[in-house]
Each structure stands twice: as C-alpha cells, then as structure tokens.
Amino acid sequence: FYSYLFLFSLFYSIQIHSNNPQIGFIENKGQIHDQYAKFNSEVKFLYNSPGLNVQLKSNGFSYDCYSVKSKAREIPNISSLKKITAEEKIFDFQRIDIEFIGANLNPLIIKERPLGSYQNFYLNGLSINNVGSYEKVKYICFYPNIDLEFLVSDGKIKYNFIYRRPRKRRPL
C-alpha cells in the first residue's frame, strides 16, 4: 500500500510551450557537460524546455528559469561608414539547487513511461546514440521507506514523496 506523503507541483505558474508534445526527462549518457566542457556525472536526467531546465541528481535537483530578450543595436560598419543594426540577445537566469539532506546517495533509479523517441549526440568526435526520454523517473529508497518520483504531467513538472509502510514480520 502506498500513501502519498505530499504532492507538490513545481513551477505551477509556468506553462511549457513546445512544438514537441513528448517532452520529458532525457537520460544522461555522457552528453551533458558543465560550464568547463567536462562531462557532468552528477546530472542523471535533464528536462529542457523553453524557459525552464531541470537537472535530476542523486540527492536532489536543480532548476533554472530563464528568459531571452532581443534588443536592436546600431554598430558602425567600417567599410561603408554607415551604421548597421545588429540584434543583441540578453539572457536572464535564476537558478535554485535543492539538496535533500540525509538522502540515500545511491538510490535505485527507475525510468518509466518512455516517450518512444530517441536522440543522438555527436560531441568532439564522440557519438552518443539512442538517448531516451521518459515521462517519469523514480528513486527507490530515497529515504528509508520513502521513494521519490519526478513526472511530467499536463505540461508541468511534479515530484511526489511516496511512503511505503514497512511490512510486519510474522513468525513462521
């Protein structure tokens, strides 16, 4: 019997707009790198949509919300002595890291509800093929008798803590 400890909807007010209705958690098979172009093994899954990125890690998650604004700017053209208009992009980021203190650092991670499509990545001569996306990712025994699941539902990301009642041992 499972009971939900609580259900919390992340980013309730953020709607996900995508031409691909099958947006989900992409498994990290080596294609995700940090700001120094090094493989980021901390990230287990990545959810990426316009305006929102969510990184699932072993003991928590990170999310960043961002917006991109375009601004026209005139710059001098040396060859014709006329000014040309260039588009300048301004990125605004907010990031939050959530770490669950005392959580199992090596939970069993189960991918559920595959979305049926795969992506291939080619990075510096390295080919990473058949990278799947999933609607649900579940962490088993995240805490004692508690599982943690992340899911995409109705265009929103949610996470649930699932309490599993310990079984009573019966004498033989």
Side-chain angles (χ1 to χ4, degrees):
F1 298 98
Y2 291 102
S3 359
Y4 285 90
L5 264 176
F6 65 89
L7 169 66
F8 182 75
S9 176
L10 282 178
F11 321 117
Y12 188 75
S13 64
I14 297 174
Q15 293 294 319
I16 297 164
H17 304 285
S18 174
N19 294 335
N20 179 3
Q22 294 194 342
I23 194 164
F25 298 103
I26 301 169
E27 186 175 11
N28 185 4
K29 290 187 170 184
Q31 78 277 12
I32 298 173
H33 293 115
D34 63 15
Q35 67 270 30
Y36 305 110
K38 303 285 185 205
F39 170 59
N40 191 343
S41 62
E42 288 184 12
V43 176
K44 305 303 179 192
F45 291 86
L46 175 67
Y47 175 89
N48 182 274
S49 70
L52 177 66
N53 296 315
V54 179
Q55 300 173 3
L56 304 184
K57 303 175 181 181
S58 290
N59 65 336
F61 62 96
S62 298
Y63 67 90
D64 57 72
C65 300
Y66 64 93
S67 63
V68 182
K69 296 176 185 167
S70 296
K71 179 179 171 185
R73 190 176 89 161
E74 289 188 349
I75 56 174
N77 184 347
I78 297 172
S79 62
S80 68
L81 301 176
K82 293 182 180 179
K83 292 185 176 183
I84 51 177
T85 302
E87 184 179 58
E88 180 179 51
K89 297 213 181 249
I90 300 167
F91 293 85
D92 183 31
F93 279 88
Q94 293 85 37
R95 178 181 169 129
I96 295 179
D97 295 312
I98 308 292
E99 181 180 336
F100 293 103
I101 305 299
N104 179 359
L105 295 178
N106 296 303
L108 173 63
I109 299 175
I110 298 174
K111 327 171 260 207
E112 296 181 1
R113 301 184 198 156
L115 295 175
S117 61
Y118 292 90
Q119 297 180 40
N120 298 318
F121 296 88
Y122 301 95
L123 307 164
N124 299 326
L126 179 65
S127 175
I128 302 168
N129 298 313
N130 299 317
V131 178
S133 291
Y134 303 88
E135 188 177 326
K136 183 194 276 189
V137 176
K138 189 183 264 186
Y139 291 48
I140 306 299
C141 293
F142 190 67
Y143 284 109
N145 299 316
I146 298 174
D147 298 338
L148 172 61
E149 70 178 6
F150 293 91
L151 62 144
V152 178
S153 176
D154 297 324
K156 297 174 182 73
I157 295 179
K158 299 179 180 183
Y159 68 93
N160 301 314
F161 287 95
I162 303 168
Y163 176 70
R164 291 182 289 118
R165 293 185 183 163
R167 293 182 182 175
K168 293 183 181 179
R169 296 184 185 224
R170 297 182 184 169
L172 297 174

